[in-house]
Amino acid sequence: KESDEPILTTSAEIPDYGLFIDAEDINDRIGKLLGCIIDGGILPDERSTIVDLSDEFPVVVRAGKGPFIT
């Protein structure tokens, strides 16, 4: 809400680009479209949980690795 923009993590999958697990790969492919990239190292090839926070209550769009606790 504070940024007024979506947050994309390195395990995000974007159509036509595939799954991103490395900040350098993100920069090479779509870096010009992003405000900043934080390199936390290469992550395992595992999907993250996607949560829509745009409404009053969170909605799990895709359940991934790790628990989601409301």
Side-chain angles (χ1 to χ4, degrees):
K1 183 175 179 179
E2 293 297 319
S3 72
D4 200 34
E5 297 291 333
I7 297 172
L8 178 80
T9 67
T10 55
S11 61
E13 189 167 5
I14 299 175
D16 299 327
Y17 289 100
L19 179 68
F20 293 119
I21 60 171
D22 180 4
E24 188 173 319
D25 191 31
I26 293 169
N27 187 52
D28 290 346
R29 293 186 184 190
I30 61 169
K32 294 177 183 176
L33 303 173
L34 305 174
C36 76
I37 298 171
I38 299 171
D39 188 349
I42 296 176
L43 300 175
D45 186 3
E46 299 175 85
R47 279 20 181 210
S48 60
T49 299
I50 297 175
V51 181
D52 181 349
L53 300 172
S54 63
D55 209 348
E56 183 178 355
F57 298 101
V59 175
V60 176
V61 176
R62 180 184 73 203
K65 183 178 179 184
F68 179 75
I69 302 168
T70 59

